[in-house]
């Protein structure tokens, strides 16, 4: 909930994005994403727009400050040909898909897909495999980033036929069949988003009753169930939402993902401006510790200090490894144009907004 500040489209435009991400937070490198809809006017940040934003920032910085996705759209007319064309022209750092088909306009979703569909998706993985060999300078091409979750019961009631495309039942087989690819599951397939009745309080109730949280617990069990090491959990939106609305849920989910997947397989993502300024989320993870009662009840380990190995890995080291961002490349950021802008911004009175968008826990 935002009190006293109406949201406007300017909150999501480039100037505010740059300010919040690169000047008002500790973020050094970002990946810009987007989403396509069957109705083109609802597609935000097309592949071309993401390319332009990446090039604009990196050219100005003089370093690699921005990565970009390209969205792949299985089932759409000519989608595999478009992959070839855009992979060559736009040179995305990795590819992202929405198994729900159309996340913005679910009523228009004609092409939902499963990651383990051998007829639809395996030809895509084959093309991706060839691209990895062709472009060794783009190590992130091995990362198949997939939107999952964010599908509470209230939405399921409207679109029950899409439920099977939003959980993680299709991840394990695909990961096992394509071990040289990384399957990065965005939002960690967390189901419980939205307002009252579909919030983290519902997730907490589920955890108390059944000892699990849809579908994060399922995701955390995939490595042991399928014997794979190429499945990753992304924290975009999931951490911001759960930490504000029910911090115990956030603590359980971090603990169970680290336990089941390893601290080196949980990656940071703030969802940028969808959940407000990134800095409050970064500081919240640094401060977080899993309560002792949750550690004992679910057998999860403490996360350790803010600058300890677990939190360092999650906040940056894991993504740096996945995208081949070396320590030498990071060292270059200390003196580039963005670093100069930030130094001047801080010296002349710039201050963080620390705005958080979403629901917060209130005492009854």
């Amino acid at each position: 909930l935002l009190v006293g500040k109406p949201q406007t489209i300017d909150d999501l435009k480039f100037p505010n994005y740059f300010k919040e991400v690169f000047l008002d937070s500790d973020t050094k490198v970002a990946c810009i994403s987007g989403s396509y809809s069957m109705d083109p006017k609802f597609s935000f940040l097309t592949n071309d727009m993401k390319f332009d934003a990446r090039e604009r920032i990196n050219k100005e910085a003089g370093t690699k400050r921005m990565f970009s996705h390209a969205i792949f759209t299985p089932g759409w007319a000519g989608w595999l040909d478009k992959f070839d064309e855009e992979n060559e022209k736009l040179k995305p750092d990795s590819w992202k898909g929405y198994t729900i088909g159309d996340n913005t306009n679910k009523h228009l979703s004609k092409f939902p897909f499963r990651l383990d569909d051998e007829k639809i998706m395996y030809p895509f993985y084959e093309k991706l495999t060839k691209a990895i060999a062709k472009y060794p300078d783009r190590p992130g091409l091995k990362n198949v980033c997939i939107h999952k979750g964010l599908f509470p019961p209230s939405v399921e009631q409207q679109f029950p036929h899409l439920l099977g495309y939003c959980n993680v039942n299709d991840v394990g087989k695909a990961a096992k069949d394509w071990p040289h690819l990384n399957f990065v599951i965005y939002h960690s397939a967390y189901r419980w988003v939205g307002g009252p009745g579909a919030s983290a309080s519902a997730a907490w109730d589920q955890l108390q009753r059944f000892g699990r949280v849809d579908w994060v617990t399922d995701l955390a069990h995939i490595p042991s169930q399928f014997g794979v090491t190429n499945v990753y959990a992304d924290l975009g939106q999931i951490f911001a939402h759960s930490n504000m609305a029910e911090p115990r849920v956030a603590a359980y989910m971090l603990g169970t993902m680290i336990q089941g997947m390893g601290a080196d397989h949980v990656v940071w993502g703030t969802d940028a401006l969808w959940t407000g300024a990134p800095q409050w989320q970064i500081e919240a993870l640094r401060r977080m510790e899993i309560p002792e009662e949750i550690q004992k009840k679910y057998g999860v380990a403490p996360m350790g200090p803010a600058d300890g190995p677990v939190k360092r890995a999650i906040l940056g080291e894991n993504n740096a490894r996945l995208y081949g961002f070396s320590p030498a490349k990071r060292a270059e950021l200390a003196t580039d144009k963005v670093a100069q802008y930030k130094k001047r911004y801080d010296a002349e009175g710039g201050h963080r907004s620390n705005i958080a968008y979403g629901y917060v826990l209130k005492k009854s």
Side-chain angles (χ1 to χ4, degrees):
L1 178 64
L2 279 171
V3 178
K5 185 190 181 302
Q7 283 186 278
T8 71
I9 191 62
D10 289 335
D11 294 328
L12 297 176
K13 287 187 175 180
F14 186 87
N16 191 51
Y17 173 89
F18 187 89
K19 171 185 177 293
E20 295 283 14
V21 172
F22 290 108
L23 300 184
D24 282 351
S25 88
D26 293 336
T27 304
K28 300 295 187 295
V29 180
C31 181
I32 193 163
S33 193
S35 179
Y36 277 170
S37 173
M38 295 299 295
D39 185 341
K41 69 175 178 286
F42 288 101
S43 293
F44 61 87
L45 293 184
T46 65
N47 289 348
D48 286 292
M49 292 167 70
K50 291 190 287 292
F51 169 83
D52 291 341
R54 181 189 69 183
E55 296 306 291
R56 179 178 174 183
I57 288 178
N58 291 342
K59 182 179 179 180
E60 180 66 20
T63 56
K64 182 77 171 182
R65 285 277 185 169
M66 179 67 77
F67 287 72
S68 67
H69 283 147
I71 306 299
F72 62 91
T73 54
W76 294 33
W79 75 281
L80 280 175
D81 292 332
K82 188 175 182 181
F83 167 82
D84 291 328
E85 175 189 342
E86 294 189 329
N87 208 41
E88 182 74 29
K89 175 186 173 185
L90 304 180
K91 296 178 172 55
D93 297 289
S94 60
W95 286 81
K96 181 184 178 185
Y98 288 74
T99 52
I100 194 173
D102 188 331
N103 190 52
T104 306
N105 290 298
K106 296 176 178 63
H107 63 289
L108 299 179
S109 181
K110 297 179 181 179
F111 303 108
F113 63 93
R114 287 178 58 92
L115 294 175
D116 58 3
D117 188 317
E118 296 185 13
K119 182 178 179 180
I120 294 177
M121 287 304 297
Y122 283 33
F124 170 74
Y125 301 146
E126 289 174 1
K127 281 183 173 286
L128 200 54
T129 299
K130 292 178 181 177
I132 293 167
K134 184 177 180 180
Y135 303 105
D137 60 326
R138 290 156 61 192
L141 285 177
K142 66 183 180 294
N143 303 322
V144 183
C145 302
I146 299 296
H147 170 101
K148 286 283 193 179
L150 310 190
F151 199 80
S154 59
V155 178
E156 179 192 349
Q157 290 175 8
Q158 300 175 64
F159 310 102
H161 63 292
L162 296 177
L163 177 66
Y165 300 99
C166 299
N167 59 34
V168 295
N169 292 349
D170 57 341
V171 175
K173 181 181 184 300
K176 190 166 187 174
D177 289 348
W178 299 86
H180 60 286
L181 300 178
N182 296 320
F183 291 83
V184 186
I185 307 305
Y186 272 45
H187 319 299
S188 300
Y190 179 59
R191 185 179 193 183
W192 303 98
V193 293
S199 69
S201 59
W204 177 249
D205 179 66
Q206 183 187 44
L207 181 61
Q208 295 304 289
R209 295 174 62 190
F210 303 107
R212 56 173 282 109
V213 171
D214 287 347
W215 291 291
V216 178
T217 303
D218 299 319
L219 178 64
H221 290 166
I222 286 176
S224 61
Q225 289 178 340
F226 288 86
V228 296
T229 59
N230 58 333
V231 177
Y232 292 76
D234 158 80
L235 298 181
Q237 199 165 103
I238 171 181
F239 180 76
H241 178 85
S242 62
N243 191 64
M244 283 195 295
E246 180 46 87
R248 294 171 296 181
V249 167
Y252 162 79
M253 291 193 296
L254 263 295
T256 200
M257 285 187 286
I258 292 168
Q259 179 190 55
M261 308 177 81
D264 58 346
H265 279 62
V266 181
V267 298
W268 185 245
T270 63
D271 253 32
L273 305 185
W274 290 123
T275 41
Q279 188 61 25
W280 71 266
Q281 300 171 56
I282 294 170
E283 293 181 354
L285 182 62
R286 287 171 175 162
R287 295 186 179 116
M288 170 180 273
E289 187 50 275
I290 300 172
E292 287 188 12
E293 61 268 25
I294 291 180
Q295 293 182 38
K296 292 177 181 177
K297 185 172 183 178
Y298 300 104
V300 299
M303 295 180 68
D307 60 349
V310 170
K311 292 176 181 176
R312 286 202 321 270
I314 293 172
L315 282 171
E317 291 174 357
N318 294 338
N319 270 323
R321 185 182 70 254
L322 286 176
Y323 284 88
F325 199 80
S326 67
K329 290 181 179 178
R330 174 163 184 172
E332 294 174 354
L333 307 181
T335 56
D336 72 353
K337 284 287 188 66
V338 173
Q340 295 174 32
Y341 296 154
K342 183 171 174 58
K343 184 177 180 179
R344 181 174 177 182
Y345 174 79
D346 292 339
E348 295 186 7
H351 60 87
R352 294 169 174 162
S353 68
N354 289 322
I355 292 175
Y357 305 159
Y359 294 89
V360 297
L361 183 65
K362 293 178 66 176
K363 292 183 178 180
S364 59

